[in-house]
Amino acid sequence: MDAKDSAPEVRNLKQLLQYQDKAVVSRMLVKNSAGSVTLFAFDGNEGLSEHTAPYDALVVGVEGRAEVPIGGVTHLVGEGDSLLMPANITHAIKPLGGFKMLLVMIKGEVK
């Protein structure tokens, strides 16, 4: 969804997406040539396995907590926290119970 395709609207990220049993649920909020913004809700036993991405990604904790290993170093992300995951470095998302996060994918170099 491009921002130009919808009227401005205040949204509560905690309420915008609900947990589903044994699932990872996502909702794309913005997608354009510069990148994307996606909201995720992870059931307590679900996560994202170790992988790399070709772009920098910013994780913003919305609800709950998760361990986010990046290049072998584990970081704890909670509500209101942010963490930059650099491009081409292995990372994963390991929720500690239900966890909601906003993922901002940024195409190009972050300076």
Side-chain angles (χ1 to χ4, degrees):
M1 168 190 322
D2 280 329
K4 65 183 178 187
D5 294 336
S6 61
E9 177 183 353
V10 175
R11 299 177 185 189
N12 183 294
L13 295 175
K14 285 185 182 181
Q15 297 174 1
L16 197 58
L17 196 60
Q18 301 307 311
Y19 299 108
Q20 291 184 16
D21 192 39
K22 300 179 183 175
V24 177
V25 183
S26 66
R27 179 173 176 179
M28 182 82 60
L29 302 179
V30 177
K31 183 174 183 175
N32 60 39
S33 61
S36 63
V37 178
T38 307
L39 182 63
F40 287 87
F42 298 87
D43 182 58
N45 295 319
E46 301 298 323
L48 295 178
S49 60
E50 190 173 76
H51 63 283
T52 62
Y55 306 111
D56 290 326
L58 181 68
V59 170
V60 179
V62 172
E63 184 174 79
R65 296 182 314 145
E67 293 179 343
V68 182
I70 301 173
V73 177
T74 298
H75 306 269
L76 184 62
V77 175
E79 183 176 330
D81 295 335
S82 67
L83 177 63
L84 181 65
M85 299 186 300
N88 304 311
I89 304 293
T90 58
H91 57 271
I93 305 294
K94 299 178 179 181
L96 303 171
F99 179 62
K100 293 181 183 179
M101 72 175 200
L102 195 64
L103 182 67
V104 181
M105 293 288 292
I106 306 161
K107 294 183 179 179
E109 187 177 334
V110 174
K111 296 180 181 184

